[in-house]
Amino acid sequence: MSEMSGPTARAGHAMSFEAAMERFDPVFGIEVHVELNTATKMFCGCATAFGAPPNTQVCPVCLGLPGAMPTANVEAVESAIRLGLALNCSIAASSRFARKNYFYPDLAKDYQISQYDEPINYDGHLTFELDDGTSVRVEIERAHMEEDAAKLTHVGGAAGRIHGAAYSLVDYNRAGVPLIEIVTKPVQGMGSRAPEVARAYVAALRDVVRALEISDARMDQGSIRADVNLSLRPRVDGEDAQRAVPLGKRTETKNVNSLRTIELAVRYECGRQAALLAAGRPVVQETRHFHEDTGRTTPGRSKEEAEDYRYFPEPDLLPVVPSRDWVEKLRATLPEPPAERRRRLQREWGFTDLEMRDAVRGGVLTLIEETVAAGAPPAGARKWWTGELMRAANDAGVDIAQLPVTPAHVAELEGLIAGGALTDKLARQALAGTLAGEGSPADVAQARGLAVVSDDGALVAAVDAALAANPDVARKIRGGKIAAAGAIVGAVMKATRGQADAARVRELILGRGGE
Amino acid sequence: MSAITREDVARLGALARIHLTDGELDVLAGQLTAIVDAVAVVSSAVDDSTPATSHPIPLTNVFRPDTVTASLSRAEALSSAPADQDGQFRVPQILGEEP
Ligand SMILES: [Zn+2]
């Protein structure tokens, strides 16, 4: 990484990531909060619809009014068990809820209902691949159920910052929405690949959650949120010797709400801690906030002081004791694991690793799958979704699935090309029409008069004109220089406004040019 | 017998956001010790063979279906708020307390 460019260049005190990795070994852990897509909250029947007017989806339970009693949402419990199974966790024979006590207006009860000593899922793992195909396995400590907190808006003071805010407005609609928190065991031995591994882990976890259809899984909307804790220890030779070095003081970075940010936050925090340690200064155990704009983290509250949550068992909720039958029934509903699905599709479609990676990264695997199911060849489906359409989505700043082009449209387009009705170039024009809302590619082709000129008479005339206009080229072709025909193909395509079949034009040129 | 110290009380006070004077620390330390000792009597009634329980009734798996029920109206929800603004609860500024 260059110190001269990118967000870290403004970091000032941080050591470069490379220098940090020469001297120190990073160990990190990730806590991911997944907001479930149940119709109602975790412990009450209030709706969870996103975007409702403030404080219209609240009741005595989620407002913490005296005497209100919570009851667990069975759908949320099932989602939690299914996620646990998908993450290869053991499902606790008996699991209970606990109160996590803290004073902050985002929870009206002054405690959050969570799970502490008896989480529903424990001891799992998730295996995933890095970009170069390296397989990594991250151990999962637990995946437990809890409730989300209210949304606070800080008003006045220093623009939106907590310090100096004159007052805060609280919307309890989100308070009580079911969450699952997935906690890794310390991830070590990754060295300078730690940022990449952190990012890939969250991406893999998001894919699992998406495949299970238990959450919207949108990081940009906060339905998946990650906290990354990280510490450094002196680097020593040998894997076993390295593992034997005690862990350093760790910081926890919050506000990491995109895959890219996770990677940046880990890199930045490595450099920041390394600079402190190299200068003989201690790393303070604290919560830090990542700032998208500067690429830096700044301290929040100090952990030692604040993190005394005095957990105790929630007396108002009964233990969850899933029967073997229930668990096995839920296991039977698990989808094909995303990593396995990818391997299967790549095999079926015959994509190269690079092609597959582009499709996965672009989030178009399902779109390609549906396009192929609608009758298109995999290579054609891939070409449109990872090319033209991905560019269109990026340009418009929308999710590719929100484009007005459907898998059926793309399959229709491929059919028109295969049938000889459209050339590649015309197909792109037809697709542009579909993107502009002019209807299906076939409709656009008809409305815009896009059609391959297959009338040989017209083509022959165009070829002859082009040959006559380029006597040198015509001579070369006659002399056997077939490659020279390309210039004439170009001229003919131009003359026919791209509506000729290039292969047919080429045949005609070689036939006429030789005369 | 488990003595609650002045330091324990000061820490609990800080966690509960209650400001305590030196005099109050002394009084409360004594009172809390007495309460804890009184509750500790329960320990003498059980031995190691008695498992700790968090729930007095032997019920498990009490759930509700994922069906939306009526919420309060916003006016009802805000009726007990000390202050409100724009349909939201208005609370004093919080200094570096984000959890
Ligand atoms: Zn409610």
Side-chain angles (χ1 to χ4, degrees):
Chain A
M1 180 181 59
S2 163
E3 277 289 300
M4 309 311 293
S5 65
T8 43
R10 271 163 285 169
H13 318 295
M15 190 184 285
S16 85
F17 179 70
E18 284 71 20
M21 289 302 100
E22 272 168 32
R23 299 183 54 177
F24 299 101
D25 177 52
V27 178
F28 67 91
I30 300 183
E31 294 172 9
V32 171
H33 287 88
V34 173
E35 201 176 82
L36 298 180
N37 57 4
T38 50
T40 67
K41 294 188 180 181
M42 186 72 222
F43 302 112
C44 65
C46 288
T48 55
F50 187 77
N55 297 306
T56 53
Q57 295 175 163
V58 294
C59 74
V61 175
C62 54
L63 284 178
L65 300 186
M69 294 291 266
T71 314
N73 179 342
V74 71
E75 185 78 21
V77 174
E78 293 200 331
S79 293
I81 295 175
R82 291 177 70 231
L83 180 58
L85 291 170
L87 296 176
N88 308 291
C89 290
S90 299
I91 311 301
S94 178
S95 149
R96 64 181 174 188
F97 292 99
R99 290 186 183 180
K100 176 182 179 178
N101 299 280
Y102 67 81
F103 290 96
Y104 195 70
D106 65 358
L107 276 171
K109 302 189 296 296
D110 286 341
Y111 59 85
Q112 177 191 31
I113 303 178
S114 180
Q115 295 196 288
Y116 184 54
D117 52 352
E118 294 183 5
I120 189 151
N121 307 301
Y122 61 97
D123 287 351
H125 60 88
L126 180 59
T127 304
F128 52 91
E129 281 180 9
L130 303 181
D131 277 352
D132 68 353
T134 307
S135 181
V136 176
R137 174 172 151 152
V138 164
E139 304 299 320
I140 289 166
E141 167 112 20
R142 54 193 283 152
H144 68 252
M145 299 180 277
E146 60 182 35
E147 58 180 335
D148 209 346
K151 184 166 167 283
L152 261 67
T153 309
H154 304 291
V155 181
R161 295 280 308 279
I162 295 171
H163 293 275
Y167 57 92
S168 304
L169 297 177
V170 195
D171 170 11
Y172 285 101
N173 282 353
R174 201 179 64 187
V177 169
L179 293 180
I180 302 177
E181 180 178 336
I182 304 106
V183 183
T184 67
K185 291 185 177 157
V187 182
Q188 41 188 327
M190 298 301 160
S192 58
R193 303 201 75 170
E196 189 188 350
V197 171
R199 173 198 178 116
Y201 163 74
V202 177
L205 181 54
R206 179 200 59 186
D207 289 347
V208 169
V209 166
R210 230 176 234 172
L212 288 167
E213 298 180 333
I214 56 174
S215 166
D216 299 340
R218 295 279 302 267
M219 292 193 83
D220 56 338
Q221 290 179 359
S223 51
I224 292 193
R225 315 193 281 268
D227 302 336
V228 185
N229 60 67
L230 182 116
S231 65
L232 296 182
R233 57 185 172 186
R235 202 173 128 182
V236 298
D237 287 334
E239 204 176 313
D240 289 344
Q242 183 67 73
R243 278 180 183 263
V245 179
L247 298 180
K249 276 256 196 258
R250 66 190 185 132
T251 59
E252 184 175 25
T253 305
K254 303 218 174 217
N255 274 5
V256 235
N257 292 330
S258 76
L259 294 177
R260 184 177 150 274
T261 315
I262 288 165
E263 199 166 344
L264 288 177
V266 171
R267 282 182 84 96
Y268 176 77
E269 201 48 25
C270 283
R272 191 191 67 86
Q273 291 189 15
L276 286 172
L277 294 170
R281 289 162 57 198
V283 170
V284 179
Q285 183 166 330
E286 64 190 355
T287 299
R288 300 183 65 88
H289 296 273
F290 185 79
H291 303 282
E292 203 70 60
D293 47 351
T294 59
R296 303 178 56 171
T297 64
T298 57
R301 82 210 138 108
S302 157
K303 240 186 166 164
E304 269 145 328
E305 201 41 51
E307 198 168 78
D308 184 348
Y309 293 126
R310 292 151 295 136
Y311 283 96
F312 63 86
E314 166 59 90
D316 292 344
L317 286 160
L318 292 160
V320 178
V321 182
S323 68
R324 182 173 289 258
D325 256 18
W326 192 19
V327 172
E328 289 315 310
K329 246 181 224 144
L330 292 171
R331 194 192 301 277
T333 68
L334 295 187
E336 183 182 17
E340 274 176 40
R341 171 171 176 251
R342 256 171 231 170
R343 277 192 290 275
R344 174 178 61 79
L345 291 175
Q346 186 175 3
R347 214 166 42 236
E348 289 175 7
W349 294 344
F351 287 3
T352 65
D353 288 350
L354 192 66
E355 289 169 345
M356 197 63 190
R357 196 143 61 230
D358 283 348
V360 169
R361 280 217 159 169
V364 293
L365 225 46
T366 302
L367 291 166
I368 293 176
E369 195 178 20
E370 288 170 8
T371 307
V372 171
R382 181 189 61 74
K383 189 190 70 181
W384 293 112
W385 286 112
T386 60
E388 210 83 354
L389 293 168
M390 202 173 288
R391 269 194 299 278
N394 286 341
D395 290 349
V398 299
D399 195 276
I400 194 163
Q402 292 169 322
L403 290 176
V405 173
T406 64
H409 287 149
V410 176
E412 182 182 289
L413 196 66
E414 277 291 312
L416 292 169
I417 297 168
L422 293 180
T423 59
D424 226 52
K425 189 171 174 193
L426 292 175
R428 267 195 284 279
Q429 295 177 29
L431 192 63
T434 305
L435 279 168
E438 296 170 26
S440 81
D443 294 342
V444 176
Q446 192 168 22
R448 293 195 184 182
L450 304 174
V452 173
V453 177
S454 50
D455 170 8
D456 270 7
L459 287 182
V460 165
V463 167
D464 284 349
L467 286 169
N470 299 278
D472 288 357
V473 181
R475 216 174 6 258
K476 279 184 190 162
I477 295 171
R478 272 199 298 279
K481 288 212 169 63
I482 294 171
I488 305 296
V489 175
V492 173
M493 293 307 281
K494 200 172 167 191
T496 57
R497 298 193 342 263
Q499 294 187 246
D501 175 359
R504 178 69 190 134
V505 171
R506 198 177 172 80
E507 277 172 29
L508 289 170
I509 294 167
L510 296 179
R512 317 272 314 162
E515 280 167 10
Chain B
M1 175 72 208
S2 47
I4 302 287
T5 64
R6 291 179 91 251
E7 287 69 37
D8 292 334
V9 179
R11 170 137 182 80
L12 285 170
L15 286 168
R17 310 297 184 270
I18 299 169
H19 300 287
L20 298 170
T21 64
D22 280 357
E24 285 169 331
L25 289 180
D26 289 328
V27 171
L28 287 170
Q31 291 184 346
L32 286 170
T33 298
I35 291 168
V36 169
D37 285 347
V39 175
V41 172
V42 175
S43 300
S44 65
V46 299
D47 56 31
D48 291 346
S49 66
T50 311
T53 53
S54 50
H55 298 80
I57 38 173
L59 273 176
T60 60
N61 296 344
V62 175
F63 302 123
R64 35 172 280 274
D66 187 27
T67 311
V68 176
T69 55
S71 292
L72 297 174
S73 71
R74 183 148 77 184
E76 286 171 321
L78 293 172
S79 62
S80 58
D84 65 272
Q85 180 181 322
D86 304 332
Q88 304 201 54
F89 292 80
R90 183 178 158 151
V91 298
Q93 66 177 6
I94 292 108
L95 295 168
E97 297 280 338
E98 191 177 33

